[in-house]
Amino acid sequence: MIRATARWLGSSAALLFVVTVLTFLLSTLAPGDAAKAILSGQTTSYTPEQYLQLRHALGIDQPLPVQYWHWLDGLLHGSLGTDLFSGQPIAEALNGRLAISLSIIVGTVVVSGIAGVGLGVYSAVRGGLSGRLVDGVSLLGLAAPNFWLALVLVEVFAVQFPIFPATGYVSFADDPGEWLRGLVLPVLTLSAGGTAFIARQTRDAMADVLTRGFVVALRAHGIPLRSIIFKHALRNAAIPVVTLLGLMFVSLLGGTVLVESVFAVPGLGQQAVTASSTHNLPMVEGVAFYFTLVVVVVNLLVDISYRLLNPKVRAA
């Protein structure tokens, strides 16, 4: 257990380092910089001297290794730096947005998991036409682009039938009902493809487990099929599904960028787009750091799930 924990800590630290270094390098390779963005927003013309002075004040005229070391030193002392435009601490600016993005991601994983597992189990047990129906639904869910589905959902459920808001976000603390209504369309948009993936994976895993000897023996002893499915078969089929849910959670970190833009939700994805367009390097680094932390935590939860579902993994 201690050795496994040490490996996890080492791999997590290495992942954080690699991601932040690559983010830093790729961000600095883009044309332009924050000084130009700031001066362009303040005045229509500026002198080269003003530009150089602002670059020096922001610290972006230093060599790249020096800039990264200053950022890393701040991180080791508990600071992600400050926003180059507003002067607000990065952590303070991102904490509220993290909760918004996680609301969409967790909601999508929960909806996709429940719907996908339900469809997959039903298809595996019934077979035949049900299996082909799941394949058809899966192809439909995978083929529908997120941006197109988002626009369709807005047109139907926010314009033609104004049931849910088309844009904006209300925090849970302010109004739980409006918070939930505001999440419905973004979550449905992202859940289509996820439900399709999980349904197919669940169906294949369940179909395999239902042919194993212990299931045949349980059915021969007169155990009800429902009890076999939910007490025995589903647990054995759950590991690949849990893996897919973990991968889906991680992939949604990027998927929220488009959805947050379409629905005008002020999450991390929208902040990443704004920071990248204005060359706000500390903010870009902060978003990348938060995303990587989420990946680390999700990997840990998936590993814990493996150990709970499979005693062999727990003993390893």
Side-chain angles (χ1 to χ4, degrees), residues 194-208:
T195 300
F197 271 120
I198 294 169
R200 295 193 66 173
Q201 182 65 63
T202 304
R203 186 200 63 187
D204 294 342
M206 281 293 296
D208 177 67

Side-chain angles (χ1 to χ4, degrees), residues 71-296:
W71 180 86
L72 184 61
D73 182 63
L75 175 65
L76 295 175
H77 287 84
S79 172
L80 289 173
T82 56
D83 190 330
L84 297 181
F85 290 78
S86 67
Q88 183 183 18
I90 297 295
E92 180 181 322
L94 294 181
N95 284 340
R97 291 178 176 268
L98 176 64
I100 296 171
S101 293
L102 287 181
S103 297
I104 297 175
I105 294 173
V106 172
T108 300
V109 171
V110 170
V111 171
S112 300
I114 294 174
V117 170
L119 284 172
V121 170
Y122 180 82
S123 174
V125 174
R126 297 296 181 180
L129 180 61
S130 299
R132 291 192 293 272
L133 180 61
V134 169
D135 285 337
V137 171
S138 299
L139 290 174
L140 183 62
L142 296 175
N146 282 342
F147 71 89
W148 175 83
L149 183 58
L151 295 177
V152 170
L153 290 175
V154 168
E155 176 65 24
V156 175
F157 295 107
V159 178
Q160 299 296 331
F161 304 96
I163 303 173
F164 304 108
T167 59
Y169 177 85
V170 177
S171 69
F172 182 84
D174 293 336
D175 190 331
E178 286 300 313
W179 169 81
L180 186 60
R181 290 179 68 246
L183 290 179
V184 171
L185 296 185
V187 167
L188 288 180
T189 299
L190 292 173
S191 297
T195 300
F197 271 120
I198 294 169
R200 295 193 66 173
Q201 182 65 63
T202 304
R203 186 200 63 187
D204 294 342
M206 281 293 296
D208 177 67
V209 171
L210 291 175
T211 60
R212 294 181 185 178
F214 77 93
V215 174
V216 176
L218 289 172
R219 298 190 70 171
H221 283 80
I223 305 297
L225 181 60
R226 180 177 298 180
S227 179
I228 294 174
I229 291 172
F230 291 103
K231 289 186 179 180
H232 304 281
L234 190 56
R235 179 170 181 174
N236 283 271
I239 286 184
V241 177
V242 168
T243 302
L244 188 57
L245 286 172
L247 293 173
M248 179 183 171
F249 198 109
V250 172
S251 68
L252 286 172
L253 294 174
T256 56
V257 174
L258 174 63
V259 169
E260 288 175 4
S261 298
V262 172
F263 292 102
V265 177
L268 284 182
Q270 190 183 78
Q271 182 64 67
V273 173
T274 303
S276 298
S277 63
T278 57
H279 306 281
N280 192 349
L281 185 55
M283 185 65 74
V284 174
E285 281 286 285
V287 172
F289 181 76
Y290 270 48
F291 277 175
T292 310
L293 278 181
V294 172
V295 172
V296 168

Side-chain angles (χ1 to χ4, degrees), residues 1-9 303 307 316:
M1 185 66 180
I2 296 177
R3 185 178 300 176
T5 302
R7 285 199 303 267
W8 176 79
L9 290 173
D303 185 64
R307 296 175 184 276

